[in-house]
Every structure is written in C-alpha cells, then in structure tokens.
Amino acid sequence: MEMYTRDVLIFHGDANNMVPLHYSKRTTTTFSSVELVVLPGAGHMLTMDYEEKVVRMTLDFILRKIG
C-alpha cells in the first residue's frame, strides 16, 4: 500500500463492531493523501444506512480532486 500515491477516501462508522475504527485511522499514516470520514452511529454496512450521504461525499471528493 505504501506504493499507492493517489488520493484515498475512507468511510468508517463509529458503531462498526466488525472492524475497529483504529484500523481506518491507521491508514492516515499509510497513504500519502487520505481523507477519513467517520460517520456517527454507522455500523459495518454504513453504505446501506448512509447511502445518500456516502454517494454525495464521494462525488464531492472526486470533484475536488479533478477540480
């Protein structure tokens, strides 16, 4: 992963009981350009619970990067 130098967007729910939040936080030191979005109350299947928000934030991220 250290060789990957492109921008990275990661979503993580703070109520995820399958993958601890510290794993996603650790990626901020692994990748050179990472944006971590922690969604309050979201579990492991956060795209199902926050689909509209995740899609909107992903599109915003892409548009900022291709600006």
Side-chain angles (χ1 to χ4, degrees), residues 6-11 33-35 37 55-67:
R6 305 286 306 249
D7 299 321
V8 177
L9 175 62
I10 297 174
F11 292 97
S33 178
V34 63
E35 184 176 327
V37 177
V55 169
R56 186 175 65 254
M57 293 178 80
T58 301
L59 290 173
D60 290 345
F61 178 81
I62 293 168
L63 291 173
R64 278 196 323 268
K65 298 305 175 180
I66 64 172

Side-chain angles (χ1 to χ4, degrees), residues 1-45:
M1 287 195 298
E2 295 83 14
M3 294 174 50
Y4 186 82
T5 58
R6 305 286 306 249
D7 299 321
V8 177
L9 175 62
I10 297 174
F11 292 97
H12 197 106
D14 69 356
N16 184 338
N17 59 4
M18 295 183 77
V19 179
L21 180 57
H22 73 267
Y23 288 154
S24 289
K25 288 182 177 180
R26 186 172 58 189
T27 64
T28 62
T29 62
T30 303
F31 295 106
S32 59
S33 178
V34 63
E35 184 176 327
L36 172 61
V37 177
V38 179
L39 297 170
H44 187 70
M45 301 299 290

